[in-house]
Amino acid sequence: ERERAWCEAMEARACVVARLAAACVVALVLAGGVAASWRETAVFFEDFEDSDAVASRWVHSSTDAKYSEKMKIDIIDQDAFGVEEHGFNFPQAARHYAVAAEAAVEDPSEGIVIQYEVRSREGMDCGGAYLKLIAGGDRMSSLEEFSNETPYSIMFGPDRCGSTAKTHLIIQLPDKDGKLVEHHMKSAPGPHDKLNKTDTQLYRVVITKDMKAIVTSPQGSQTAELLDAAAFEPPVQPPEEIPDADDKKPDDWVDARKIPDGSAVKPDDWDEDLPARIPDEDAVKPEGWLDDEPSQIPDPDTTKPDEWDEDEDGEWDAPMIPNPKCEEAPGCGEWTRPTKANPDYKGKWSPPMIANPAYKGPWEPRKIPNPMYRKIEKVELLPIHAVGIEIWTMNAGVVFDNILIARDVETADAARDELYAKKREAERKRDQKAEREDEEEEDGAGEAVENVDVETSAGISDEL
C-alpha cells in the first residue's frame, strides 16, 4: 500500500512537470512566431521572388499606348546580398509605366500601413517612385484600365525633378458634391538627397484610426493631423468661409504704407553729375611696366598657308598670341590709373519717404459662406481595391521591392527587420569592403612609387 501510494504521488508530480514543460514549449513557439507571422497578418505583400505568381498577380495597363513599356522582374544586387534578390524594375528611361495588383482594404480609415523599398541604379534626376492605392467600388472595372486618371485613395512615395524633391502623401476624398479632391500633405519629409543608386531606401506611411498620418522616408519622420487646416493643401476640413471671388478692391483704396515727402527740397550742395568712380591719384605705375610693348603679338611660328589667295581671301595676318615679354613684367601697353569709389558721389536725389496719412492697410476680399463647407467628424478614406505603380521617369533602373500593406505597425516593423534591415547591413558591408579595397589600392600605388624612387636612386649611385 505504501509503495502504491508513493508511485501515485510520483506520477502526479511527473504529470505537473510534463504540463509545465508543454506550456513552456507552447509559449516559446508563440513568442518565436511573432516575427515569422507578419506574412500572415499582412493584407498584401509582394517580394517579386516568384515570377509565375508575379505574372498572374500584376496586370499591365492597356488603356493607353504610352504604357506600352512593361516592368520586369530583375536581380537587384547579387554582389551585395549574396543571393538573387529580385525586384520590379523599370528597364527604360523616359517612359510611362502602369501596372497594378489586387489588394482589398474596405475600411482603411480604421488604420493602414504602406511600406516598400526603392532602389535606383542610375540615381533619380527626374521621375517618381510612388504607389497608388486604387479606389474600389465602380471607379474602375478592371486593372487593365489603370491610368493616371484612375481615382485612388492614397498616393505615397518619392518624387524628384531638378531642385524639386518631395515625398508625396496625397489623399483623395469626395467633397460635398461627390467630386474627388486631392489633399497634399505639406510637411512630409523629403526623399533621399540623391536617391543613391547603390542603397536601398525604405518608405512608409501610417494612417491611424485617430486620423494621424505618419510619413517616414530616409530623411526622417513627420506626423500630421488629417483635420489640421495647416497640414494639407487644400485642407481636408473645408473652411466655413472663403474669399469672395467677385469682390474687387475699390479704386480709392490706398495700400501704400509710405509716400514721398512732397515738402522736401534737394539740398543746394547736392551734385547729381558727380561720377560714382574717379581715378586714384595716389596710384603709381608699377616698376618695370613695359609701355612700348603690346599685350599681344603675331605668332612668329606660323606661316601663311599655301592655299591662301590674297586676291580672294585678302591680306593674310598671323594669329595673335600673348606677348611673352609681358608674362614676366607687371604689365604692357599704356598704363592708366585705376579708379576708386568717389567719396563725394551722391547720385540722383529723391525726396525721403514718410508715413502715408491715407494708408488703409492691405486689401482683402470680403469673406462669404463656403458652399462646400461641411463639418467632418471622422475622415473616411476611400475603400482600396488594388495597389498600382503609375509613374513617368527619366531614369532607367528604378526598382521596387517588398511592397507591404498592413493594418498595424507591428507587422510592418517585423517585415522591415527581417527584410530591409538585413539588406541595408549587406549594403554597408559591401561599401566597407569597397573602401578597404580602394585604400589598399592607394597604399599599393604609393609603395610602388617609393620602390621606383629607391631603385632610381640606387642606379644613380651605381653610375656615380
Side-chain angles (χ1 to χ4, degrees), residues 197-451:
K197 63 184 180 181
T198 63
D199 291 343
T200 301
Q201 310 297 333
L202 184 75
Y203 291 87
R204 175 196 285 186
V205 60
V206 181
I207 298 180
T208 65
K209 188 176 182 179
D210 58 351
M211 296 183 293
K212 291 185 178 69
I214 305 144
V215 173
T216 302
S217 83
Q219 299 284 43
S221 295
Q222 190 69 37
T223 301
E225 302 277 350
L226 297 188
L227 292 179
D228 182 356
F232 286 83
E233 178 61 38
V236 173
Q237 170 63 69
E240 292 188 55
E241 293 185 319
I242 59 173
D244 184 358
D246 296 327
D247 191 17
K248 306 298 180 185
K249 184 172 72 172
D251 294 336
D252 61 350
W253 187 277
V254 179
D255 52 12
R257 188 183 296 273
K258 291 183 175 293
I259 57 173
D261 184 358
S263 63
V265 179
K266 183 174 72 172
D268 294 337
D269 61 347
W270 192 286
D271 189 347
E272 296 183 348
D273 298 326
L274 290 175
R277 300 190 66 83
I278 58 175
D280 184 359
E281 298 298 332
D282 296 329
V284 178
K285 182 171 66 174
E287 185 177 352
W289 188 281
L290 305 179
D291 298 82
D292 299 329
E293 288 289 341
S295 59
Q296 289 194 320
I297 60 171
D299 186 352
D301 296 330
T302 60
T303 58
K304 183 173 68 174
D306 296 337
E307 64 274 12
W308 188 274
D309 188 338
E310 293 194 352
D311 293 335
E312 294 184 4
D313 302 325
E315 184 178 356
W316 181 81
D317 293 320
M320 304 298 285
I321 62 171
N323 189 342
K325 294 181 180 180
C326 300
E327 295 179 1
E328 299 178 358
C332 291
E334 182 182 359
W335 180 80
T336 57
R337 295 180 184 278
T339 62
K340 65 177 183 178
N342 186 355
D344 298 324
Y345 174 74
K346 296 183 177 180
K348 186 174 179 60
W349 180 84
S350 59
M353 303 296 285
I354 59 173
N356 186 354
Y359 175 67
K360 293 184 178 181
W363 180 83
E364 293 181 354
R366 63 175 173 265
K367 296 292 183 69
I368 60 173
N370 182 2
M372 302 308 295
Y373 172 75
R374 55 175 176 149
K375 180 64 176 177
I376 298 178
E377 300 294 342
K378 180 173 176 58
V379 178
E380 297 292 345
L381 300 175
L382 294 176
I384 293 167
H385 167 62
V387 56
I389 302 171
E390 190 279 316
I391 64 172
W392 171 87
T393 178
M394 288 300 294
N395 298 99
V398 178
V399 181
F400 283 72
D401 197 15
N402 294 330
I403 299 174
L404 173 79
I405 301 174
R407 304 310 299 265
D408 59 273
V409 174
E410 290 77 15
T411 297
D413 284 346
R416 177 200 60 199
D417 295 343
E418 179 180 325
L419 304 172
Y420 172 73
K422 292 180 180 178
K423 190 178 292 186
R424 286 294 297 124
E425 180 62 25
E427 290 172 340
R428 275 190 287 269
K429 290 180 179 178
R430 173 206 59 197
D431 295 340
Q432 292 171 356
K433 179 182 177 183
E435 290 177 4
R436 287 195 301 269
E437 290 175 350
D438 289 343
E439 291 174 357
E440 290 172 0
E441 185 176 344
E442 291 177 2
D443 293 342
E447 291 176 2
V449 171
E450 291 177 2
N451 291 336

Side-chain angles (χ1 to χ4, degrees), residues 44-288:
F44 176 91
F45 176 68
E46 179 62 80
D47 60 5
F48 304 103
E49 295 301 326
D50 186 337
S51 58
D52 292 336
V54 171
S56 63
R57 185 160 46 236
W58 290 84
V59 178
H60 286 89
S61 174
S62 59
T63 189
D64 195 310
K66 70 181 181 180
Y67 298 127
S68 60
E69 190 69 43
K70 309 299 183 187
M71 298 176 67
K72 66 176 184 178
I73 300 175
D74 203 357
I75 298 174
I76 303 176
D77 190 343
Q78 188 170 357
D79 292 339
F81 307 136
V83 295
E84 290 189 358
E85 178 79 15
H86 295 86
F88 223 6
N89 178 32
F90 299 89
Q92 297 293 327
R95 295 289 191 274
H96 291 267
Y97 295 88
V99 62
E102 291 185 0
V105 182
E106 290 300 321
D107 54 348
S109 299
E110 293 301 306
I112 188 170
V113 184
I114 305 161
Q115 177 175 285
Y116 67 105
E117 300 166 8
V118 175
R119 199 167 187 270
S120 183
R121 292 169 175 167
E122 297 181 2
M124 187 176 288
D125 303 315
C126 195
Y130 38 80
L131 297 178
K132 288 184 177 180
L133 282 297
I134 301 168
D138 58 356
R139 302 177 190 277
M140 186 177 68
S141 59
S142 68
L143 297 181
E144 288 89 347
E145 297 178 4
F146 179 43
S147 73
N148 61 311
E149 300 295 331
T150 302
Y152 59 86
S153 178
I154 301 167
M155 174 177 160
F156 169 68
D159 192 13
R160 173 186 293 279
C161 199
S163 60
T164 301
K166 62 181 70 175
T167 301
H168 287 292
L169 174 58
I170 308 174
I171 300 171
Q172 273 195 343
L173 295 169
D175 63 11
K176 191 176 181 180
D177 293 340
K179 179 184 177 182
L180 290 179
V181 178
E182 292 184 346
H183 301 274
H184 296 245
M185 182 175 171
K186 293 181 180 179
S187 60
H192 191 275
D193 54 354
K194 295 180 180 178
L195 275 177
N196 194 311
K197 63 184 180 181
T198 63
D199 291 343
T200 301
Q201 310 297 333
L202 184 75
Y203 291 87
R204 175 196 285 186
V205 60
V206 181
I207 298 180
T208 65
K209 188 176 182 179
D210 58 351
M211 296 183 293
K212 291 185 178 69
I214 305 144
V215 173
T216 302
S217 83
Q219 299 284 43
S221 295
Q222 190 69 37
T223 301
E225 302 277 350
L226 297 188
L227 292 179
D228 182 356
F232 286 83
E233 178 61 38
V236 173
Q237 170 63 69
E240 292 188 55
E241 293 185 319
I242 59 173
D244 184 358
D246 296 327
D247 191 17
K248 306 298 180 185
K249 184 172 72 172
D251 294 336
D252 61 350
W253 187 277
V254 179
D255 52 12
R257 188 183 296 273
K258 291 183 175 293
I259 57 173
D261 184 358
S263 63
V265 179
K266 183 174 72 172
D268 294 337
D269 61 347
W270 192 286
D271 189 347
E272 296 183 348
D273 298 326
L274 290 175
R277 300 190 66 83
I278 58 175
D280 184 359
E281 298 298 332
D282 296 329
V284 178
K285 182 171 66 174
E287 185 177 352

